[in-house]
Amino acid sequence: MSTFATGVTVLTVGGENPNGMTANAFCSVSLDPPLVLCCVARTARLHKAVAVEGRFAVSVLSAEQKATARHFADRSRPHGWAQFATVSWVPGLHTGAPLITGALAWLECEVTEEVVAGDHSVFVGRVLEAASGSGDAALLFHRGTLRGLPDGATADAPDGRVGTA
């Protein structure tokens, strides 16, 4: 799976169980109703926080946020609110979860379903609020490395179509 490039997010939970985690197992599920999913190891600190709070937020990181991605991937980072002390953020209106400043987009979600899948849980979240930032350069994870996707980079087919059958 290391050859499959993915976007990089930070999943966060506020309330009584504040926590954050870098995640690339995140995607859109449905437009109507708006649903997303994220996959979280059942041994991760964030797993319990999402399960208890029933809400989470997503910050889609920009290419300039490699340090933020590394911080929330570091298992030695502080617990609780202290892990957010070195990162600029604002509380989500609906969840109170930290939304990372400078991200490409933010979502606040309410868990509608938890599906156990191997050593992970798939949390399906109904999007309560979504917003986008001003940047275009995305942060990607590919072959074990964080990489910035430059502004304006495209991989369209010569005729401009993608994924046609």
Side-chain angles (χ1 to χ4, degrees):
M1 292 308 298
S2 69
T3 61
F4 183 65
T6 62
V8 181
T9 68
V10 171
L11 306 175
T12 57
V13 174
E16 298 296 315
N17 298 285
N19 210 315
M21 180 185 89
T22 299
N24 65 329
F26 169 80
C27 68
S28 173
V29 173
S30 170
L31 294 176
D32 187 17
L35 300 172
V36 296
L37 69 76
C38 61
C39 301
V40 180
R42 291 197 315 270
T43 57
R45 291 186 280 181
L46 186 79
H47 186 278
K48 180 179 178 184
V50 172
V52 169
E53 293 293 326
R55 293 176 178 231
F56 63 93
V58 182
S59 296
V60 179
L61 299 186
S62 73
E64 293 79 31
Q65 293 179 304
K66 288 181 186 179
T68 299
R70 287 187 185 106
H71 172 73
F72 286 103
D74 184 352
R75 293 177 192 228
S76 67
R77 72 184 179 285
H79 290 248
W81 289 111
Q83 69 190 289
F84 297 99
T86 61
V87 177
S88 178
W89 61 276
V90 297
L93 179 65
H94 300 279
T95 62
L99 303 173
I100 308 298
T101 304
L104 296 179
W106 305 271
L107 298 99
E108 291 186 87
C109 305
E110 180 175 51
V111 175
T112 61
E113 190 174 355
E114 177 184 350
V115 178
V116 174
D119 60 357
H120 282 60
S121 284
V122 178
F123 290 104
V124 177
R126 181 175 58 88
V127 177
L128 304 171
E129 183 81 26
S132 60
S134 60
D136 285 330
L139 184 60
L140 300 179
F141 187 69
H142 181 249
R143 294 198 183 272
T145 302
L146 294 168
R147 304 168 188 267
L149 179 66
D151 286 343
T154 63
D156 290 344
D159 63 1
R161 294 182 293 162
V162 176
T164 57

